[in-house]
Amino acid sequence: MYTPQDPNTQFPRPPFPPQQQTGPGDIRKMDPAPDHGETSYIGNNRLPGRKALITGADSGIGRAVAIAYAREGADVALSYLPEEQEQAEEVAALIEKEGRKAVLLPGDLQDESVDKEIVDKTVAELGGLDILVINAGTMPTVDSIDDFETKTLDHVLKANIYPLFWLTKAASPHLRPGASIITTSSIQGFVPSPSLAEYAVSKAGIANWTRAMAQQLIERGIRVNGVAPGPVWTPLQPAFVPNEKIESFGEETPIGRAGQPVELAPPFVFLASQESSYVIGETIAVTGGSPTH
Ligand code: NAD
Ligand code: MG
């Protein structure tokens, strides 16, 4: 990951083979296999002894962040949906291979009591909490307002927005100065696609919440920041996006290809580490060159 090279050709470019999954999706069914850093991420002791909780940590961006954090010296609690148990166990094995502790926390975050339990179990098993990565998300596509359904919007907000408040409230008494909260927004939160209105409004809300909560928590020495990815090769895509868009996935970006999950890990490491001490309330765009405003 530190060898200078042309980023245009560093990772697979479209076209991708047509493929569809049902949510929440499985990385083992993806072609080509995504790179979460399993063999490519090189750690440099940037998070020594830190204790992290990551939601959506079984696959995609969360999996890449979990692997990176362990290689940077952190213990990691993994939150994911119960049907993703096997993928989460693979991540736990990779963390333990680094000599770090992994905690497995299956559960649906759309229920406040589950969010609280996940934080409480993290604190009990890791002995504290320094880094909270609120990354889990769902992305139904709805092409027309005529097909709008209240239950879809309720689901998107319950999965993508409410956990910001629930997890942070539960974590608050445990966070000490130097702690960091990191959210995952999206380019969709700034430049929405027509068929992603429900998702996009949730992602705009995440970036907005990040700015508000950062101002609230900095007086306690806790920094809140976010990452806004562009198109990234994760199961979210074949689970929610039709094949005609999968085949050309990422083509519209200036770099002309999708990002790989491992390419998202470095900003999450930077924002978790003390090296970003003066970065507060920011959402860093990682989009392959597509402007976010
Ligand atoms: P992913 O499917 O690998 O990860 C999303 C994870 O969210 C799932 O693995 C699942 O564990 C979790 N999740 C979903 N609903 C949940 C619920 N109700 N309770 C508990 N966990 C739940 O896909 P990803 O692309 O890595 O997604 C991670 C984040 O990145 C999401 O917030 C997504 O919106 C965001 N994002 C992704 C892209 C992209 O192109 N892949 C672009 C911008 C933003
Ligand atoms: Mg998953």
Side-chain angles (χ1 to χ4, degrees), residues 88-228:
E89 284 174 9
E90 292 172 359
V91 182
L94 287 163
I95 291 167
E96 284 160 2
K97 213 171 131 196
E98 301 301 319
R100 308 310 316 179
K101 203 166 171 182
V103 181
L104 291 168
L105 301 169
D108 187 332
L109 295 169
Q110 294 177 90
D111 176 343
E112 183 172 8
S113 66
V114 172
D115 290 50
K116 185 170 184 329
E117 200 181 303
I118 277 170
V119 169
D120 290 348
K121 281 189 182 158
T122 300
V123 172
E125 302 219 13
L126 296 185
L129 179 59
D130 307 309
I131 305 163
L132 172 59
V133 179
I134 307 173
N135 164 75
T138 192
M139 189 182 68
T141 51
V142 184
D143 289 333
S144 164
I145 190 65
D146 299 330
D147 300 322
F148 171 79
E149 290 192 305
T150 301
K151 69 173 194 300
T152 307
L153 184 61
D154 279 342
H155 167 55
V156 170
L157 299 182
K158 276 277 153 66
N160 295 4
I161 292 287
Y162 280 70
L164 298 170
F165 293 92
W166 291 335
L167 292 167
T168 302
K169 183 178 179 189
S172 171
H174 307 289
L175 299 173
R176 301 282 162 262
S180 185
I181 298 174
I182 306 167
T183 61
T184 305
S185 173
S186 169
I187 190 169
Q188 289 293 329
F190 302 87
V191 187
S193 299
S195 59
L196 284 172
E198 291 81 353
Y199 175 77
V201 78
S202 80
K203 291 289 154 178
I206 292 171
N208 197 278
W209 181 91
T210 300
R211 287 192 289 270
M213 201 50 55
Q215 295 174 67
Q216 197 181 117
L217 292 181
I218 191 57
E219 73 181 34
R220 291 171 50 195
I222 301 161
R223 292 181 303 110
V224 186
N225 288 289
V227 176

Side-chain angles (χ1 to χ4, degrees), residues 199-285:
Y199 175 77
V201 78
S202 80
K203 291 289 154 178
I206 292 171
N208 197 278
W209 181 91
T210 300
R211 287 192 289 270
M213 201 50 55
Q215 295 174 67
Q216 197 181 117
L217 292 181
I218 191 57
E219 73 181 34
R220 291 171 50 195
I222 301 161
R223 292 181 303 110
V224 186
N225 288 289
V227 176
V232 185
W233 189 236
T234 75
L236 193 75
Q237 300 300 337
F240 291 106
V241 171
N243 261 331
E244 63 264 24
K245 290 185 182 154
I246 292 297
E247 291 175 60
S248 60
F249 187 60
E251 203 172 64
E252 75 288 0
T253 61
I255 197 172
R257 65 164 175 85
Q260 289 295 319
V262 67
E263 297 183 278
L264 272 294
F268 284 87
V269 171
F270 170 68
L271 292 172
S273 151
Q274 198 62 32
E275 66 199 313
S276 58
S277 53
Y278 204 61
V279 182
I280 296 158
E282 175 63 356
T283 291
I284 300 176

